[in-house]
Amino acid sequence: MDQDTLIALADRGYYKGEELRACEQAGITPLVPQPLTSNSKAKGRFDKRDFRYEADHDAYQCPAGERAPRRMSTIEDGMTIHVYGSSACPACPLRSQCTTERYRRIRRWEHESTLESLQSRLDERPEAMRVRRQTVEHTFGTLKAWMGATHFLMRTLPKVATEMSLHVLAYNMKRVMKIIGVRPLMQAIMA
Ligand code: SF4
């Protein structure tokens, strides 16, 4: 595409933290909304978005205004997770809205700032997801219509990837022919 910078847009929740980080390290700016599901919120309690991280202190500020410093760290699925908590929980008047345990704990991936900058970028570009939908959803709908109401013909990931690539190539060729015409396309290919 002859671009120095790339922005990658994906549908809500289609990411892993490590993949977002790999994008950033490769100079690609990812934009993907985070899932809105939260067990705590569903049960009427504060969820993580109600806690504000204070990088200067490496601590969270909780909804009661208490500081929750880092208590411990653990490794889960190869990711380092820091655990934060306030010692004020047992006497807190908001505890019933916060936790069913004696102490509320907040978990933070060591590279969680990647997810936080992702959310800030999305907040600055509220139109991004609408543009993504308008740009790519119809393409997949068209491809599906061309393929018909059936499954992929091939089996196993490498073969299915090849089949899909051929569909995408055919789609792109038809689009270019429609937009610039067959002759200019042939000239561009020969050049
Ligand atoms: S229970 Fe603990 S973490 Fe929750 S609001 Fe109260 S002090 Fe803050």
Side-chain angles (χ1 to χ4, degrees):
M1 287 182 281
D2 199 23
Q3 298 288 317
D4 293 330
T5 57
L6 280 179
I7 296 176
L9 294 116
D11 211 352
R12 183 179 297 281
Y14 278 81
Y15 70 88
K16 280 187 184 168
E18 309 97 298
E19 291 168 349
L20 295 179
R21 198 166 140 71
C23 277
E24 288 187 343
Q25 287 170 339
I28 299 166
T29 305
L31 283 178
V32 42
Q34 298 179 42
L36 295 174
T37 51
S38 155
N39 280 341
S40 300
K41 210 57 160 186
K43 290 174 181 160
R45 290 195 289 273
F46 300 129
D47 79 351
K48 195 168 170 187
R49 283 166 290 185
D50 297 311
F51 292 75
R52 192 162 51 84
Y53 182 65
E54 298 174 327
D56 293 352
H57 301 286
D58 188 23
Y60 276 89
Q61 187 173 89
C62 81
E66 298 287 347
R67 182 167 286 165
R70 191 199 293 189
R71 301 283 174 188
M72 57 171 283
S73 299
T74 172
I75 307 277
E76 290 175 20
D77 295 330
M79 295 164 71
T80 301
I81 308 289
H82 302 313
V83 183
Y84 297 76
S86 166
S87 51
C89 296
C92 174
L94 302 182
R95 187 151 64 100
S96 63
Q97 295 166 253
C98 194
T99 181
T100 53
E101 308 291 328
R102 191 165 158 78
Y103 291 93
R104 172 73 185 253
R105 293 290 180 244
I106 308 111
R107 298 153 55 76
R108 180 179 177 86
W109 177 38
E110 64 173 330
H111 300 301
E112 187 116 350
S113 57
T114 299
L115 301 179
E116 288 160 351
S117 10
L118 168 73
Q119 192 54 52
S120 314
R121 284 196 297 272
L122 279 168
D123 293 343
E124 286 163 12
R125 308 173 72 146
E127 81 299 344
M129 287 303 116
R130 184 167 45 79
V131 172
R132 189 204 72 82
R133 276 196 302 277
Q134 291 171 348
T135 310
V136 304
E137 294 289 356
H138 76 90
T139 305
F140 285 105
T142 303
L143 282 169
K144 186 76 187 104
W146 287 352
M147 291 164 75
T150 182
H151 302 290
F152 283 103
L153 299 173
M154 304 306 292
R155 295 285 174 269
T156 72
L157 186 57
K159 292 177 185 172
V160 170
T162 303
E163 185 181 344
M164 186 66 199
S165 296
L166 288 170
H167 282 296
V168 171
L169 177 64
Y171 178 94
N172 286 338
M173 295 292 278
K174 286 183 81 166
R175 284 287 292 156
V176 176
M177 282 186 255
K178 184 83 176 168
I179 293 167
I180 68 169
V182 174
R183 196 178 298 273
L185 172 61
M186 293 302 291
Q187 285 166 348
I189 290 173
M190 308 279 217

